[in-house]
Each structure stands twice: as structure tokens, then as C-alpha cells.
Amino acid sequence: MKFQSNSRRRAKEYEADVLKKWKAEKTFEQSVLNRSKDDAFVFYDGPPFITGVPHHGTLLSSIVKDAVPRYQTMKGKRVERRWGWDCHGLPAENFVEKKLGISTRHEVGDKISLADYITCARESMVATAGLWEDTIDRIGRWVEFSNAYKTMDKEFMESVWWAFKTLYEKGKIYEGERVLMYDTAWATPLSKSEITMDNDAYKTVTDPSVFVKFWLNDFMDSEGSNEPTAMLAWTTTPWTLPGNMGLFINPEFTYAKVKIDGENFIIAKDLVEKVLVDEKHKPLEYQLINLIDGADLIGLSYKPVVEEYAYNGEGSENAYKVWGADYVSLDGGTGIVHSAPAYGEEDFNFGKEYGIPVYHTLDEFGKYIDGRWQGEDVWQINKQIAKTLKEEGKVWKIDYIRHEYPHNPRTGHRLMYRAHPSWFFDIQGQKDLMLEQNESINWFPSHLKHGRFAKNIQAAPDWNLSRDRFWATAMPVWKSESGKIKVVGSYAELKELSGVELEDYHRPWVDDITFEIDGEKYTRIDKVLDCWFESGSMPFAQFHYPFENKEKFEKNFPGDFIVEYIGQVRAWFYYVHAVNTALFGKKAFKNVITTGVVAGNDGRKMSKSLGNYTDPNELMDQYSADSLRFLLLSSPLLNGEDFALHDKDVSDIARKLSMIWNMYDFFTMYASVDNWQFKGELEDPSDNLENPLDKWIISRVHQLRNDITTNMDKYDIPRALEGIVPFLDDASNWFVRRSRRRFWKSDSSVDKMQAYQTLHYVLSYLALLLAPFTPFLSEELWGKMVGDKSVHLHDWPNSGEINQEIIEDMAKLRSYVNEALAVRAKNSVKIRQPLQSISVPSNNISEEVKQWMEPVLLEELNVKEVKWSAGPVELDLNITSELKSEGLMREVIRNIQNSRKKAGLNVDDRINLYLHSSNNELKEVYNKFVQEISKEVLATNFEDNLQDLEHNFEVKIESMDLKISLQKQ
């Protein structure tokens, strides 16, 4: 294979051509089919929302999802990569509702029929598919788009039904009522893990906090006084007061009855001074009447705060009473806690224990059902409730506080805690299994294993599976009129029960299916499944298991690898783990990489309005997709840390990767002149090499291969990549630079041929090593250096010979060079100025090694003599007149070489050269060193002449003028 100089191309040009080549030659498909089905590497691709658009964050995970499978493929594994789409849930519904001009749930059924809504939703789920495919292609990711699974597909949903029924029959799914995070705008509960997956779910809000008077019925204190007395409770949720059902005190505390402004209040004794202050936090005058043991307050009754909301339904005998609870603390408030079981998790749990009624004063949209605030939105009327109750004397004092409050991260809506009938997944009953299975999962970074992931499992409540929405997998639960339950696990089972078969099992069509069992009619409950249950079912549902591909799934479960950003530790990773350990009794994945979050160039969240990031396609066009890939893969993001993306960082990586092409340019420039050709077999040349420089760089590239392999096998991608740039620096700025004279030789000596063989091998081998990380560059380089099939169809290279001694010896040599150069810099002595000698430590270096080290030290440090000693590196800085002249000669040569470049001459072009200076010192130098100068700059004719030739340049050397005139012969 021959090589051509000046054949280097811009990244944007060859990346476009490589993409076309891969598609035309079906390289991705070949890379899968060439590997045995019996040696699979299973990768689970977490599906993005189809309604979203690609951004740096999704590209980050896609880059990792490409690099690891490419590496595993080269290691001989069959890695099928199937794209997936998350089509259901609130993000999809928001997309559809904006499209339809819908702002509230009420409008579904009124403004537009549910059938039309669902039809529109399905049609909308392909809106951005083309944009995704184009961008994923551009980043170089190989994945099968044409056969992508969609969570809305009939087959996928049937597998979800199977999973639901299987878990129900195992006793892991049950119906119940709990207090859940609830979005009133969309009238649906949400799971806690879904809310807390990102850090921006809790937002700071300003709310009124009120001290409320709960007037006791027939209270008589220890001194026999029956003056009207109120329990003073503090709450930050005035909106819950109409639903108040009880008060909680701590029976271990002592409480005080105090009189202030003519009213008697009961407050925890230790909080009296803190509570009884004015708006400026200055103490108020009060009278301490007496002290009361907390236990003596239990069982007292009181009047409802808002009379028209008084509860008289089932369980009313336990309403409006004082109860004891040890969770009541002295950390804040009054030591008396207002309880509305319908709107507080702790309130609900205690209420359930004591039989306190759950009283809903709000409808599913957060509007008051009746009473004076009927129809009012809870968040709009909250402050007004506080003010009204203060005016009516029912609130003693109002303060305003700033506190963190949960919001729906998908919609931005403020959430409430609300008791809601739902279907739950019994997480409590399988926590031990989930934690046990986590022990054998390889996490990167490792601290997440027993940190965020394990702690999330330990703290997780039972999972609320049901949603009161529309566009999602319908819950396969039918109820009879008497409350009997039938859970359906397949479409065939439903057909057997009802005689009905559908093309689409979404609402509303599945809602219409009824059937009878033993004379009772069964109707489907109008709930849908949490879309995270679908996502958690992805490992098997993508294969329509167990209805199809049963053997394939079971043979390849658990999966080998998953990756997503850190928010998914509490979300997708957790839900996949929960669903699959419950179904199959074991973990769903063996290895997981968790990335950080890509931030804008100002460290804030990427935002178009802030203008703090460059569009990824624009960035790739400017600097290359490979540069963006390499930066992200080697960044702190792959250690699970956040990272601010600056265009300059991508530019810096592009510059560093260009060292490869600089070496390629150097190689092809001389190979084309000498007609050096690759014979077609890429083999480790170590056994045939004589020059220590060749042995060293071959050992270094093999060492790099081993480092990459070791760390990729651990899924530590940043460490796998950390040696690449230092190697490029070694190869370019040491091996190639030190080898220049070897390539310049006019003869075809063994040393010159071995230099060619070594550089060719290093560049070709490097193409293999970089293939998983910079696939475009590797393909282009491999094609130019080797020329056979795609680099991505080759195996990962075997470990070659590593001469550890020569690596260590070269490290010593370079440390001596660096120390000496630092001495030169400190003393302002340029490297082109020759010095007489350098003394370097022997350090048990053999005579044989010294023989090859000395010429390098002489040339690198521009000294006349190397002295071996027991002491540190020392330079003789005394500059004689002879050394001064030689230094000026080197400056002359440097300026002539620069002039050759400016004239556009090739490296092997011979020239006619005229030099002229008015300075006698400089004139004497270039006339004295005619032969040396002529040899270095390839001048066959050299004169001290003022006349012009074709190319003329005027330069300064230490304030001395020099005219350079040259032309190609």
C-alpha cells in the first residue's frame, strides 16, 4: 500500500464520508452479525421521551452507550443495540395538550373526546424521531433505529400486563390508600422517587405560617378554673385547617397555660418564650397561670376552627380530639401539632392507627368542595385563608416563612400531600432482596452502590403504581359490582373473558370492555400505570416476553450494562431493579455507569434563554464529533460529577487529537518521497527493532493498550482515556521529533526502514485503540494506514511486547532533559545556544544504555559533552566566544528553515541561497559555518549576496539584521 503526502482531511469532511460509508456498507450490522449469538453482551438502553429533543445531556449518555458496546464488540462480543422510545406519561401528555390547546384535565372529554386525545397522542409520538436519528448518527453512535421498541406498542404493553398480573399473584401488588405527592393541576399522584430524581424538584416558596387557636370544650385546669382555653398550634399550611381532625402533643412534655391579651393559651413550657414575641421578635407580656403534664391533655376535645367545615361523617367520634405522639418535638412551633390526615403522610399514618377520619375538603383539582371557599384553588386562596381567620380571631398571629416545597419536575406545578386511593407495589417486602442483589452489581462510580442507590432502597415507601391519567398503559384490573377483582395478564386472556380483541389497548377502547364471571359484571378501573413501571419492564417487554423471544431473554438476563445520568439512580435504575428482582428473584443488570450533569458554560443549567451553551451539532461541525466525544468521556462527568461545558475545552481536545494527524502528515510526507509501502500485515515489530527509540514507543503503545483494557473492563472510562493524550505527546513530541533525522537520510538504511515500520505500526495500532472512543478519526486513520475493512470490524488488539526497562530508562533520560531545560529557562539561556557540558546522575545506568542516552542528551540539550556523576543534574553555563558563534549559527538555520516554509517548499527541495548582513559578527558566523548551514537547509549553492532571488525575507537575530533570499533549484 502506497502513501500520499498532503492527504489529510478536515474532520467535518471525513466524518460525513465515514457516516455514508458505514450506511452503504452496513458496517454496524456486520459488526453484530460477525459475532456469535452464544457470546452476547447485553446492553439495556433506557428510552428517552420521544417528545423531547436531543441535547448535550442525552448525547453524553449516548456517547457512553456507543463507546462501551464498540469496545465489547472488538473484544468478540455480540452486542445488539436496539433504540427505545418512552412514549407515555406526563411529558407526552404535556406535549399533546399544548398541541391541542388544552390547559386543564377538565377539557379532556369536554373540549375534545378521549378517543381523539389518545389518537392525537399516538400520532404525535413520532414528531421528533427524525431529529433524534440525525443527531445520534452525527455523534457516531451505532444503534438500531428501524426496529425501535416503543412503550406505547401493543406488544410492549402486553408484557407490562403480564408483569403486573405476575406480581399481583405473588402478593406484591395491592390496593390501598396512602398520602402521596399529588399534582392538582393534572389531578394525579406521583411517586416520591420520580420527584426526587433531580435536584430541582424542591423550590423555595413564601407561605403564611399561622398560630391557630383550638378552643377546648369544658376544660378545667388543675386549679379548678374553667375559663375558655385554647390549644395554640402552629402550621405552615393554613389551607389544611378546614380538614383538621385532631391535635397531637407529646405526653412526655410539660405544657404551660398562659394568659395574654385576655386569652388563655396552652403551649409547650419550653417554647413559651420563643412563641410569645411580636413581629420584631421582642418578648410580649403574659401571665403564667399553671403547668400541665402532657399526658393530662390527651383525650380532650375541641371545637372545629372553621365551623362550616365541621366533620360529622363516619368515625366522627374520633374527630377534634387531642392525641399523644412522641414525634412531636420542641424544634419549632408550639409543641402542639395540627393534624389533617387527608393532607399529611405522618398525620395519615397516625390517623389510621387511632381511627381518626380522613376528611377531604378539596376535590382532585385542589379546589374546595363546599363551604365559604367553594371552587377556590388551594394555592390561590392559601394566604387569604390565613388573613380571614386572623380577622375572625381564630388565628392569633401570622408569620411568613420561606421554605422548600416539592414541585412536579415535569410541569413545574406545586405539589401537595394528599390521601389517595391507589394501587401499590410492596417494596417493603422485598427490600432485603433488592439490597442483597445490589451487592453483586458493579457500580461506577463505586460510592453510589452503598450510597445513593442502597439508601434510596432503604428509605423507599411502597411504590404508587396507579395514575389518574389517560395516555399510558391501562391498568389490567377489572372489578365486579361487589368489589371482586380480576387482573388480566394477556390479550388472549381478555379475549377469552370478553370475546373482544382490540388493535389498540389504550383508553378509551379498553375501558369499554366488560365481562361476566359467575353472573357478576366486571368493569375496568379507570386508572393507568405509572410510566416508570413500563420503563422498569423494559428488559423483558422490549422482547414481548414471555409471549415471544422467551429463550433469548432468559439466556441473556441479567443484562451486562446500563448507563444514565445520576438522577436515574433514584428513578430508572431503581425501578428496573425493583420490577425485575420481584419478577425473577435477581438483579437486572451487572454493571452500571452513572454520569454527572452537563452544565452550561456559566455552571448553570443549560438554557437557550441564558445562551450558555453552543448547539451540539454546531460544536461538532466546528471541532469534530470525536473531540466532543473524547472530552465528555474523559471528563468528571464519567465519575458522576457535574461539568460545565466550554467550547474552548472541545477546541483543546481537537488540538490534542490533531497530534495524530501531525504524525500522519510527517509519515506520509517522507513515505511518499521514499516510496515506502505497507506490505499488508500489521505485526508487532519489537523482535526486529534495534533503535531504543523504536523499542520504547512500541512498548509505550502496548502499555497504553493494557491500561485502556484494564480500566474499560472495570467500566472506568476516564481512567481508560487518561493515558491517551500523554501518549500522543510522547509519540509526537519525543519519538517523531527525535526521529526526524532518521527519515531525512537519503539512503535506505535499516534504521530508516525500521523508523518507517515503527511509526506506521504505532499509528495503525492507535487507530484500533481509539476506535471505541473516536470512531470517525479511527476509521479515517485506519483506512489511510492499512486500507482493508473497517477498523470497527477488527478485534481488540492483543497485548504486545513491553520492554519495561527501556520505558524506565527513557523516563530517566527525559527527566534529565527536563531538569536541564528548566535550568536553561531559569538562567535565560536559549536552547539554540550550545553549552560545553552537562553532568547527570548515573543511577545504576548500564554502559550500554549510556551509549544511546549520550547522543540524545547532547542533541536535546545542545551541549558538547555528557559527564556521568553521582550528583544532581548540572549545566556548565559558561558561554565561550566559540559557543556564542555556534549559537548564532543555529539561529541563522532556524530563520532559513522558517523562510523555506513561508516559501511553500517541500522538505526535500534543494535551494539556491543568498545571505547578507551589515553586521560583521553575524557575517563572520554564516561564512564560517557554510557547510553546516548548507547541509541543514539543503542549499546546493550558497553565497553572501545582497541580490534578490525568488523568495526574499528580512529578519533580526539578536538585533542584527539578516536578509535571506532563496529559490528552488
Side-chain angles (χ1 to χ4, degrees):
M1 177 180 175
K2 292 185 177 181
F3 298 94
Q4 183 181 346
S5 62
N6 300 317
S7 54
R8 172 179 179 176
R9 298 195 293 174
R10 290 179 63 246
K12 185 177 179 181
E13 181 183 354
Y14 70 68
E15 286 184 349
D17 285 351
V18 165
L19 281 174
K20 291 175 186 174
K21 172 184 166 74
W22 286 343
K23 287 186 183 295
E25 298 179 3
K26 296 188 179 299
T27 314
F28 166 46
E29 291 80 356
Q30 286 186 62
S31 74
V32 176
L33 295 173
N34 288 350
R35 307 300 186 182
S36 169
K37 291 182 179 179
D38 295 327
D39 192 14
F41 178 87
V42 180
F43 158 60
Y44 293 154
D45 190 359
F49 285 110
I50 195 169
T51 52
V53 294
H55 52 78
H56 284 291
T58 50
L59 289 184
L60 166 63
S61 59
S62 265
I63 290 165
V64 184
K65 290 172 184 179
D66 187 62
V68 172
R70 282 186 187 272
Y71 170 74
Q72 292 293 340
T73 298
M74 293 182 77
K75 294 268 297 221
K77 298 288 185 180
R78 183 186 181 99
V79 190
E80 296 180 6
R81 281 154 271 180
R82 186 183 182 195
W83 187 265
W85 292 115
D86 197 345
C87 304
H88 285 149
L90 278 177
E93 290 195 1
N94 288 344
F95 182 87
V96 173
E97 283 153 7
K98 285 178 183 176
K99 186 175 180 179
L100 294 172
I102 292 173
S103 57
T104 69
R105 180 180 168 176
H106 291 291
E107 294 174 274
V108 180
D110 295 338
K111 187 174 180 178
I112 186 172
S113 71
L114 180 54
D116 288 343
Y117 178 95
I118 297 298
T119 300
C120 178
R122 174 176 284 283
E123 290 170 352
S124 298
M125 291 305 108
V126 295
T128 62
L131 176 61
W132 274 95
E133 188 165 356
D134 290 345
T135 308
I136 295 303
D137 277 352
R138 182 67 186 89
I139 201 68
R141 180 182 173 190
W142 277 354
V143 63
E144 185 184 0
F145 269 104
S146 58
N147 190 33
Y149 72 85
K150 300 184 185 72
T151 58
M152 68 179 183
D153 286 346
K154 184 164 74 170
E155 294 77 16
F156 193 100
M157 293 196 301
E158 186 174 29
S159 292
V160 173
W161 276 20
W162 166 82
F164 187 94
K165 179 172 183 175
T166 303
L167 293 173
Y168 179 78
E169 291 179 341
K170 286 185 174 187
K172 293 180 182 293
I173 290 178
Y174 64 92
E175 186 179 18
E177 184 177 28
R178 288 177 181 269
V179 169
L180 306 167
M181 286 185 174
Y182 189 90
D183 188 332
T184 56
W186 297 108
T188 191
L190 300 167
S191 66
K192 188 171 287 187
S193 293
E194 183 177 6
I195 299 304
T196 58
M197 66 180 288
D198 288 317
N199 295 327
D200 58 354
Y202 281 80
K203 297 179 181 178
T204 302
V205 296
T206 300
D207 278 328
S209 69
V210 292
F211 292 83
V212 188
K213 307 169 190 176
F214 292 89
W215 292 101
L216 295 169
N217 294 316
D218 305 321
F219 174 69
M220 182 176 291
D221 66 19
S222 58
E223 296 179 4
S225 171
N226 59 1
E227 285 187 6
T229 302
M231 305 275 284
L232 194 66
W234 177 73
T235 180
T236 60
T237 55
W239 60 270
T240 63
L241 289 171
N244 168 268
M245 288 284 99
L247 295 175
F248 280 85
I249 56 90
N250 193 317
E252 300 299 318
F253 295 168
T254 298
Y255 288 80
K257 178 181 175 182
V258 298
K259 184 182 288 285
I260 183 168
D261 294 333
E263 291 185 312
N264 296 315
F265 298 148
I266 294 175
I267 306 169
K269 178 178 75 73
D270 292 345
L271 293 173
V272 169
E273 299 293 334
K274 186 176 180 181
V275 172
L276 300 181
V277 294
D278 63 17
E279 293 176 352
K280 295 181 180 179
H281 302 287
K282 292 185 177 180
L284 294 171
E285 289 187 12
Y286 67 91
Q287 179 185 356
L288 176 63
I289 305 299
N290 50 39
L291 299 178
I292 307 167
D293 287 339
D296 292 339
L297 296 171
I298 295 174
L300 296 176
S301 66
Y302 61 89
K303 298 176 177 60
V305 174
V306 191
E307 293 84 351
E308 68 263 42
Y309 286 97
Y311 179 78
N312 55 16
E314 185 179 348
S316 60
E317 66 276 10
N318 285 329
Y320 309 118
K321 286 186 176 180
V322 179
W323 306 84
D326 57 10
Y327 79 86
V328 178
S329 74
L330 298 172
D331 293 340
T334 65
I336 301 168
V337 176
H338 136 71
S339 175
Y343 304 111
E345 191 170 6
E346 210 161 30
D347 298 3
F348 180 87
N349 293 335
F350 272 95
K352 195 173 181 182
E353 181 180 348
Y354 296 126
I356 303 171
V358 176
Y359 178 30
H360 283 280
T361 55
L362 302 169
D363 67 13
E364 67 269 34
F365 296 102
K367 297 182 186 297
Y368 285 93
I369 297 168
D370 51 27
R372 71 172 85 176
W373 296 302
Q374 182 176 4
E376 295 287 355
D377 179 85
V378 63
W379 304 123
Q380 300 297 320
I381 199 67
N382 188 35
K383 291 180 181 178
Q384 187 58 49
I385 290 174
K387 290 177 181 177
T388 299
L389 295 180
K390 176 72 167 63
E391 290 166 0
E392 294 177 354
K394 295 171 181 177
V395 162
W396 175 64
K397 184 173 68 170
I398 299 176
D399 288 334
Y400 284 88
I401 63 165
R402 288 173 59 79
H403 61 151
E404 298 289 303
Y405 213 87
H407 289 68
N408 185 340
R410 304 291 187 193
T411 64
H413 298 150
R414 186 169 176 173
L415 303 175
M416 67 165 53
Y417 287 90
R418 174 187 170 93
H420 194 76
S422 294
W423 286 72
F424 295 90
F425 189 139
D426 177 20
I427 296 296
Q428 310 309 311
Q430 67 171 49
K431 281 186 177 181
D432 288 346
L433 177 61
M434 291 173 71
L435 290 168
E436 173 199 312
Q437 288 297 307
N438 181 42
E439 288 302 306
S440 58
I441 298 173
N442 173 42
W443 281 84
F444 192 85
S446 60
H447 66 81
L448 293 171
K449 180 175 189 167
H450 295 120
R452 184 178 295 204
F453 191 67
K455 287 177 181 176
N456 188 57
I457 294 172
Q458 290 162 354
D462 284 355
W463 176 7
N464 165 33
L465 289 178
S466 55
R467 297 289 182 271
D468 302 314
R469 296 299 300 165
F470 311 116
W471 177 238
T473 299
M475 279 187 64
V477 178
W478 275 256
K479 269 190 178 181
S480 73
E481 291 156 343
S482 65
K484 293 176 184 174
I485 292 171
K486 178 65 178 176
V487 177
V488 176
S490 71
Y491 301 147
E493 181 184 0
L494 183 59
K495 182 179 180 182
E496 186 178 335
L497 288 165
S498 66
V500 178
E501 188 172 10
L502 299 174
E503 277 302 309
D504 188 341
Y505 285 84
H506 283 96
R507 300 188 67 190
W509 304 285
V510 71
D511 297 345
D512 296 334
I513 298 178
T514 61
F515 50 81
E516 287 190 2
I517 299 177
D518 297 332
E520 281 196 81
K521 183 180 179 181
Y522 283 73
T523 305
R524 199 191 74 81
I525 63 172
D526 63 350
K527 292 182 181 290
V528 295
L529 279 166
D530 179 6
C531 64
W532 287 109
F533 189 77
E534 298 173 349
S535 299
S537 302
M538 169 264 163
F540 54 88
Q542 65 171 324
F543 296 117
H544 193 208
Y545 177 90
F547 309 102
E548 295 181 77
N549 303 303
K550 194 171 188 295
E551 182 182 353
K552 178 176 182 178
F553 167 72
E554 291 174 355
K555 184 178 179 181
N556 294 306
F557 183 85
D560 291 290
F561 171 62
I562 60 172
V563 57
E564 294 296 341
Y565 88 109
I566 197 162
Q568 299 292 5
V569 171
R570 292 195 183 107
W572 190 56
F573 296 163
Y574 168 76
Y575 292 122
V576 169
H577 193 62
V579 171
N580 289 275
T581 51
L583 283 171
F584 306 111
K586 58 184 177 181
K587 66 192 176 191
F589 46 86
K590 300 173 187 175
N591 301 283
V592 54
I593 291 177
T594 305
T595 74
V597 177
V598 187
N601 52 37
D602 56 0
R604 292 185 288 178
K605 187 176 181 178
M606 286 188 172
S607 165
K608 282 186 178 179
S609 61
L610 293 174
N612 61 354
Y613 73 98
T614 303
D615 179 86
N617 285 296
E618 194 178 316
L619 209 53
M620 289 187 281
D621 285 347
Q622 185 170 0
Y623 300 114
S624 81
D626 285 328
S627 298
L628 181 59
R629 285 175 64 114
F630 193 97
L631 173 66
L632 295 180
L633 289 171
S634 58
S635 74
L637 288 162
L638 270 290
N639 286 316
E641 300 170 25
D642 294 351
F643 177 71
L645 180 62
H646 296 266
D647 293 7
K648 181 182 178 297
D649 293 334
V650 188
S651 173
D652 286 346
I653 293 295
R655 178 178 52 79
K656 290 170 182 175
L657 292 178
S658 71
M659 287 190 281
I660 296 170
W661 293 115
N662 294 342
M663 289 188 283
Y664 170 81
D665 284 345
F666 177 85
F667 172 81
T668 54
M669 179 170 60
Y670 287 100
S672 62
V673 171
D674 290 332
N675 197 28
W676 188 89
Q677 297 183 28
F678 172 55
K679 304 301 182 185
E681 289 293 328
L682 189 68
E683 296 177 345
D684 182 355
S686 298
D687 292 342
N688 303 319
L689 299 177
E690 298 174 5
N691 193 309
L693 200 56
D694 294 339
K695 294 178 182 179
W696 169 74
I697 197 62
I698 294 293
S699 294
R700 280 286 290 114
V701 80
H702 290 159
Q703 185 184 56
L704 178 65
R705 176 263 176 210
N706 289 355
D707 288 344
I708 293 173
T709 305
T710 298
N711 289 296
M712 283 300 291
D713 288 346
K714 295 177 182 176
Y715 294 84
D716 188 345
I717 297 179
R719 188 159 291 178
L721 267 62
E722 73 179 6
I724 291 174
V725 171
F727 172 79
L728 296 181
D729 184 67
D730 282 356
S732 178
N733 296 322
W734 189 254
F735 172 76
V736 170
R737 187 172 59 77
R738 291 290 321 145
S739 297
R740 285 184 185 277
R741 292 183 184 280
R742 302 167 68 196
F743 288 93
W744 290 350
K745 294 175 183 177
S746 57
D747 60 353
S748 295
S749 65
V750 171
D751 183 59
K752 182 176 183 177
M753 292 302 103
Q754 288 185 359
Y756 272 121
Q757 185 181 12
T758 298
L759 185 51
H760 178 271
Y761 177 82
V762 166
L763 288 172
S764 303
Y765 196 87
L766 196 58
L768 291 167
L769 297 185
L770 293 179
F773 317 112
T774 58
F776 297 104
L777 184 154
S778 294
E779 190 75 281
E780 176 80 351
L781 184 61
W782 183 262
K784 289 182 177 298
M785 299 304 294
V786 179
D788 69 351
K789 64 185 179 183
S790 168
V791 69
H792 302 288
L793 298 178
H794 283 269
D795 289 343
W796 188 248
N798 294 322
S799 179
E801 183 176 330
I802 298 176
N803 186 326
Q804 193 60 39
E805 286 185 12
I806 208 163
I807 288 177
E808 292 171 4
D809 288 338
M810 194 67 78
K812 285 179 189 175
L813 170 63
R814 296 181 72 185
S815 72
Y816 297 160
V817 170
N818 289 335
E819 285 183 55
L821 291 175
V823 173
R824 275 184 173 270
K826 184 178 179 181
N827 290 276
S828 302
V829 179
K830 293 180 179 179
I831 189 62
R832 282 181 292 279
Q833 173 58 60
L835 296 175
Q836 185 56 42
S837 66
I838 183 171
S839 296
V840 292
S842 297
N843 282 351
N844 299 317
I845 298 172
S846 68
E847 290 302 316
E848 181 184 355
V849 172
K850 286 179 182 178
Q851 280 188 339
W852 64 259
M853 279 190 175
E854 284 190 12
V856 178
L857 288 167
L858 292 173
E859 189 172 333
E860 282 293 314
L861 299 175
N862 196 8
V863 294
K864 302 295 184 182
E865 181 184 5
V866 175
K867 298 176 181 179
W868 298 94
S869 68
V873 173
E874 288 187 15
L875 269 176
D876 180 355
L877 296 171
N878 181 40
I879 301 173
T880 65
S881 59
E882 187 65 26
L883 291 172
K884 171 72 170 172
S885 295
E886 193 174 333
L888 287 173
M889 174 202 70
R890 290 178 178 269
E891 290 288 352
V892 170
I893 290 171
R894 181 180 69 86
N895 279 280
I896 296 170
Q897 297 287 34
N898 287 341
S899 298
R900 282 181 59 106
K901 285 183 182 177
K902 291 177 182 177
L905 300 182
N906 293 324
V907 291
D908 58 340
D909 287 340
R910 307 284 167 170
I911 60 169
N912 293 324
L913 175 66
Y914 292 173
L915 297 180
H916 182 76
S917 176
S918 61
N919 184 280
N920 289 331
E921 183 183 3
L922 190 57
K923 186 185 289 284
E924 183 180 334
V925 166
Y926 64 68
N927 282 312
K928 178 180 178 181
F929 293 104
V930 169
Q931 287 187 346
E932 290 86 345
I933 294 172
S934 297
K935 182 180 178 182
E936 288 290 328
V937 303
L938 300 183
T940 53
N941 179 37
F942 171 63
E943 296 180 23
D944 183 351
N945 194 323
L946 187 58
Q947 290 184 10
D948 288 347
L949 292 174
E950 185 177 354
H951 304 285
N952 303 283
F953 306 93
E954 292 185 0
V955 298
K956 291 280 187 182
I957 297 176
E958 295 185 7
S959 303
M960 296 177 281
D961 64 281
L962 176 66
K963 180 182 178 185
I964 303 170
S965 298
L966 55 85
Q967 67 183 30
K968 179 181 174 183
Q969 278 195 336

